[in-house]
Amino acid sequence: MRRLLRRSAFLLAALLSGVSMQAQAPPGPITLQQALDMARTRNPNLLSGQQHVIATRATEITAGLRQNPNFTLSGANVSLPANNPSSPYTYVGNVNRLFERGEKRRWRLDIAHATTDVTQSQYKDSERQTVLAVKQAFTQMLAAKAALKIADDNLQGYRKTVDLSKARLDAGDISATDFERIDLQLAEFESDYDTAKLNLTQSSDQLQLLLGIDKPTDTFDITGTLELPTLTAPLTQIEQQALQSRPDYLAAEQSVRLADANVKFADANGSIDPTIGGEYERVGVFNSAGFQVSIPLRIFDRNQGEKERTRYEAQSSRFAETAARNQVVNDVDQAWAGYETAISMATRYHGHYLQEATRVRDNLEFSYRHGGATLLDYLDALRDYRQTNLDALNANTQVWLAIHQLSFAAATEILP
């Protein structure tokens, strides 16, 4: 009892400390690994799943318990005088116990162990999904920070263009209409900046929610890169890792063992369990002892229905395991295809389009300031440059999201 109380106090203290941790945001920028560690220890859904696993494991104790004996004590005529020969007092003490046959306790333990294994794998699968959500939210926040930087650079750069155009207007080099057209374009850059700032706030709030922070704060920050990584693992290796590590597939395999244990337990429940007992009896001044053996006659009910049901359930579990295996391979193949498409697109932007958009913008800006290009050409070059930078950033983001999806499909960190 004392051990149980100490364990309960420890769990309560852990939960209370977890709640207090939820209200605290990290003091400085955190990395992706730190974010994942925080989610594993603070995310309320994962904490709930951990407690469910512990609760399920407790059923193993119940499954391993043996049958309790029964004790019965009865008396008759105890209110009469003991010396009354016609109605002597009588006391009877009886002890009996049910003896299980067919290894029922063994199969109950197998069922309990298998159920715990399945529950643990299901929790691991929930953790895998939470890890994916954290990685995606972290990447989206990195992308939002980079997009805000691009929007701010574009806005500050274009404001210099507006200032220069105002000086040219005052000097009579351009018309008022041309200046107003340039000034109107500033609204688009300001709108881009406001939208990027909103996206950063929303992505930050989403990540903080996954990390178990109950109230989002503006001081929360992360650090990382969206530079294109190098992936060296081949597809066949990733598929093998997935079949070895995917918790949902492991749960399907464990469900087969659970179903087999249920079949054996149903067979065992068809056996006869005798009840054996002994008794002591005192009548007046005489003592006697006796015994009882009770054997149920299972003429009609031999657990036939459960035997048949569990066998069909076991076959169903085997089909489900095959389906889960096929799903694992399919998920990895689709994630790999998404990664190849994303990396191909990102490589094109960084190998060609970004440099070209920068050269076109710089050349047309120089030409326009010196009267060699029209206003429309310059504004078009600015739009192309802004959109190309955002597209390149989005391409990098998609590469990282594809890698996270591939790691999720394989239940293994693809990047070292």
Side-chain angles (χ1 to χ4, degrees):
M1 179 61 71
R2 291 180 179 177
R3 182 180 299 176
L4 180 61
L5 290 175
R6 286 198 300 269
R7 184 175 181 183
S8 301
F10 173 77
L11 290 175
L12 180 60
L15 289 175
L16 290 177
S17 63
V19 171
S20 63
M21 289 173 62
Q22 289 179 359
Q24 300 175 2
I30 63 173
T31 63
L32 175 58
Q33 186 57 52
Q34 289 174 322
L36 293 175
D37 293 339
M38 288 176 61
R40 289 188 175 99
T41 56
R42 300 186 182 186
N43 184 281
N45 292 325
L46 292 184
L47 293 177
S48 173
Q50 291 170 6
Q51 296 304 307
H52 180 61
V53 172
I54 295 174
T56 304
R57 186 173 289 114
T59 61
E60 297 177 13
I61 300 175
T62 304
L65 298 177
R66 301 180 184 276
Q67 294 292 327
N68 289 320
N70 299 311
F71 173 69
T72 304
L73 179 63
S74 61
N77 300 327
V78 295
S79 63
L80 298 177
N83 57 0
N84 186 350
S86 61
S87 298
Y89 61 78
T90 302
Y91 295 107
V92 179
N94 180 281
V95 177
N96 63 75
R97 179 178 179 271
L98 175 70
F99 289 86
E100 293 183 318
R101 299 175 63 250
E103 298 184 292
K104 293 183 178 66
R105 178 172 174 270
R106 172 188 174 183
W107 305 129
R108 278 200 306 269
L109 278 170
D110 279 1
I111 291 173
H113 291 319
T115 301
T116 300
D117 292 340
V118 171
T119 305
Q120 178 71 26
S121 295
Q122 290 172 343
Y123 164 74
K124 288 294 184 182
D125 195 53
S126 297
E127 182 182 25
R128 179 176 69 105
Q129 295 173 12
T130 301
V131 166
L132 174 63
V134 171
K135 287 180 177 180
Q136 290 175 333
F138 192 93
T139 301
Q140 294 290 359
M141 186 173 176
L142 282 179
K145 288 180 63 176
L148 181 61
K149 179 66 168 56
I150 292 174
D152 184 60
D153 291 344
N154 289 338
L155 178 60
Q156 299 306 324
Y158 193 74
R159 279 175 175 167
K160 293 178 181 178
T161 300
V162 173
D163 294 339
L164 178 61
S165 299
K166 182 63 169 62
R168 293 182 63 186
L169 173 65
D170 295 339
D173 291 340
I174 61 174
S175 66
T177 300
D178 286 344
F179 172 76
E180 289 175 351
R181 294 178 66 181
I182 294 175
D183 189 56
L184 284 173
Q185 191 69 26
L186 182 62
E188 189 171 342
F189 285 91
E190 292 173 338
S191 177
D192 289 347
Y193 177 83
D194 292 338
T195 301
K197 189 174 181 179
L198 174 62
N199 290 337
L200 177 58
T201 300
Q202 292 177 338
S203 60
S204 174
D205 290 351
Q206 178 62 30
L207 180 57
Q208 292 181 66
L209 176 66
L210 292 170
L211 299 186
I213 299 174
D214 56 350
K215 183 174 178 57
T217 173
D218 296 336
T219 60
F220 177 79
D221 196 12
I222 62 174
T223 180
T225 179
L226 290 176
E227 296 296 328
L228 296 181
T230 301
L231 184 60
T232 58
L235 175 59
T236 54
Q237 177 182 337
I238 297 176
E239 288 177 344
Q240 290 302 316
Q241 290 174 338
L243 291 173
Q244 295 172 4
S245 305
R246 275 278 289 264
D248 54 339
Y249 178 56
L250 295 179
E253 290 182 322
Q254 292 158 352
S255 295
V256 173
R257 294 196 291 271
L258 174 59
D260 289 340
N262 277 315
V263 170
K264 294 174 182 177
F265 185 60
D267 289 339
N269 277 334
S271 61
I272 297 174
D273 297 333
T275 301
I276 302 176
E279 71 175 19
Y280 164 76
E281 183 177 12
R282 181 178 178 85
V283 180
V285 295
F286 300 100
N287 300 314
S288 64
F291 67 92
Q292 304 90 30
V293 177
S294 175
I295 300 177
L297 301 179
R298 307 199 68 169
I299 299 174
F300 304 107
D301 179 9
R302 296 186 299 276
N303 208 36
Q304 304 96 316
E306 279 299 294
K307 291 178 181 177
E308 186 171 0
R309 183 191 67 81
T310 53
R311 281 172 171 76
Y312 281 111
E313 290 291 348
Q315 189 63 30
S316 174
S317 298
R318 287 178 171 80
F319 285 126
E321 179 192 7
T322 302
R325 179 186 178 88
N326 294 341
Q327 186 65 55
V328 168
V329 176
N330 185 267
D331 288 346
V332 172
D333 289 348
Q334 290 192 34
W336 180 267
Y339 165 74
E340 287 187 323
T341 301
I343 195 67
S344 176
M345 183 180 300
T347 302
R348 287 199 301 269
Y349 273 103
H350 288 276
H352 177 65
Y353 296 124
L354 274 178
Q355 295 84 346
E356 189 174 61
T358 301
R359 288 196 303 271
V360 171
R361 182 205 60 177
D362 293 344
N363 292 338
L364 284 175
E365 181 179 7
F366 180 84
S367 298
Y368 171 70
R369 290 181 178 181
H370 294 80
T374 66
L375 174 62
L376 290 178
D377 291 337
Y378 174 53
L379 294 180
D380 286 341
L382 284 177
R383 294 190 188 96
D384 293 341
Y385 173 80
R386 184 179 72 243
Q387 189 60 48
T388 302
N389 273 271
L390 291 176
D391 290 343
L393 173 62
N394 182 65
N396 281 22
T397 303
Q398 292 304 315
V399 170
W400 278 99
L401 292 177
I403 290 177
H404 296 330
Q405 187 68 37
L406 190 56
S407 296
F408 171 76
T412 305
E413 290 298 334
I414 301 302
L415 291 177

